[in-house]
Amino acid sequence: MRTPVPLGTTERLFGTLHRRMLDRGYEVPPWDRLSTDDLDAEAVEIARSAWAARTVAEYRSMIVFGELVARFGEVGLPLEVTTAASRLLSDEARHTELCARVADALGGHAGITLKPNDLRLHRGDLPAHLFVARWTTSMFCVGESASVAILRVLLADAKNPCIAAVLRILLRDEILHDRFGWALARLVLPRLTDDEQEWLAADLAQTFAHYDRAHGASNSDAEETSLPAGLGLAPARARSEAFHHRIDTVILPSLAGLGVPAYEAWLLRAEV
């Protein structure tokens, strides 16, 4: 089935290496148990759309990681950092493929597209150290860290054994990405000047606003009751609580401990 993300190759070497890197040491989801026969068509459509959107989001993450790694040399980061980051690229490829396969099983990728901005990062005139600091903070310290909390909620609500297996794989990788992100932050953020930390806080306010909107609690009881049972979705209220708990207990204090005016940025999100 056609996806917005380019999947599949006729070059045997690429396919062999791809499978070796993505499959080694990972459980195989029971795809034959991903059946929608007994589910309401509207509920399945909600789940299909969500998993198709996740396919694009995971592919976008792979691109962000790739562009970030490309500038590690300019910042003078140790070789070991680049080697470790290469693992994350293959993880995001795994996530893209898994989400695409779930979306296929639920009906496909209709309505979901890759936009030109999804295929590159806007660098502007940012020097390498600010580019790396910006995306380390937004993508890892906020995005990947919050993802750990959200995935735990989704997994707790997953009833289908195939969906649960996919979510376990995603969570396993995201926990590592979260650890990597904070280790990278400890390398790059303390190098910033006071003025650069203030600039980063202003940019961080926009990141916080984005994720707060994405994981904000719903006021609609209808939305809470119309979610398809067990297909990898969870009520907005539960996701919001998990996100805000992660913000309060991990993200804000950790960033503040690295010199970033994170609490000020969190308050500023309302003005973005």
Side-chain angles (χ1 to χ4, degrees):
M1 191 170 292
R2 183 175 178 81
T3 72
V5 172
L7 297 174
T9 178
T10 58
E11 183 60 56
R12 183 177 178 181
L13 177 64
F14 296 152
T16 299
L17 292 175
H18 175 77
R19 290 266 59 86
R20 186 178 300 166
M21 294 176 70
L22 266 60
D23 296 345
R24 182 180 295 170
Y26 282 82
E27 66 177 305
V28 178
W31 296 106
D32 59 325
R33 300 186 66 183
L34 182 50
S35 172
T36 60
D37 294 343
D38 299 327
L39 297 176
D40 176 73
E42 183 178 355
V44 173
E45 172 58 20
I46 293 171
R48 179 207 67 77
S49 180
W51 282 97
R54 287 173 188 167
T55 302
V56 169
E58 297 290 353
Y59 189 66
R60 162 75 172 172
S61 293
M62 187 184 71
I63 290 170
V64 171
F65 289 176
E67 293 209 27
L68 194 58
V69 170
R71 305 204 74 178
F72 282 178
E74 295 178 69
V75 182
L77 294 180
L79 177 64
E80 292 85 352
V81 181
T82 300
T83 304
S86 67
R87 154 68 192 267
L88 274 60
L89 286 170
S90 62
D91 288 347
E92 295 302 335
R94 179 184 304 107
H95 301 175
T96 301
E97 189 174 81
L98 288 170
C99 291
R101 187 160 180 180
V102 173
D104 283 345
L106 297 176
H109 301 263
I112 305 297
T113 60
L114 268 174
K115 302 177 180 63
N117 285 343
D118 293 328
L119 301 174
R120 61 183 296 274
L121 291 181
H122 177 67
R123 296 189 179 189
D125 57 354
L126 280 182
H129 73 290
L130 290 183
F131 180 87
V132 172
R134 176 188 195 183
W135 288 103
T136 296
T137 304
S138 62
M139 193 73 185
F140 284 106
C141 297
V142 181
E144 296 294 285
S145 191
S147 181
V148 170
I150 301 301
L151 281 168
R152 284 175 174 152
V153 171
L154 299 182
L155 182 56
D157 279 10
K159 302 297 186 293
N160 181 278
C162 181
I163 295 291
V166 169
L167 291 171
R168 280 195 300 271
I169 294 170
L170 300 184
L171 178 58
R172 168 185 167 177
D173 288 342
E174 294 295 80
I175 289 172
L176 175 62
H177 297 187
D178 180 44
R179 292 177 59 199
F180 175 91
W182 290 112
L184 182 59
R186 289 193 292 272
L187 280 180
V188 301
L189 297 186
R191 301 181 182 185
L192 301 181
T193 67
D194 290 344
D195 287 345
E196 288 171 340
Q197 292 280 19
E198 290 295 335
W199 169 85
L200 184 61
D203 187 79
L204 182 59
Q206 298 184 54
T207 297
F208 281 149
H210 166 76
Y211 283 101
D212 202 26
R213 286 191 295 268
H215 301 304
S218 171
N219 294 320
S220 170
D221 292 335
E223 178 186 337
E224 300 294 292
T225 58
S226 64
L227 291 176
L231 290 181
L233 281 73
R237 189 170 292 108
R239 289 186 284 109
S240 177
E241 290 173 357
F243 169 70
H244 286 95
H245 183 262
R246 190 76 173 181
I247 284 285
D248 292 338
T249 61
V250 176
I251 296 173
L252 292 180
S254 298
L255 284 172
L258 293 171
V260 180
Y263 289 97
E264 293 87 338
W266 179 250
L267 293 176
L268 282 173
R269 81 192 189 284
E271 302 176 15
V272 174

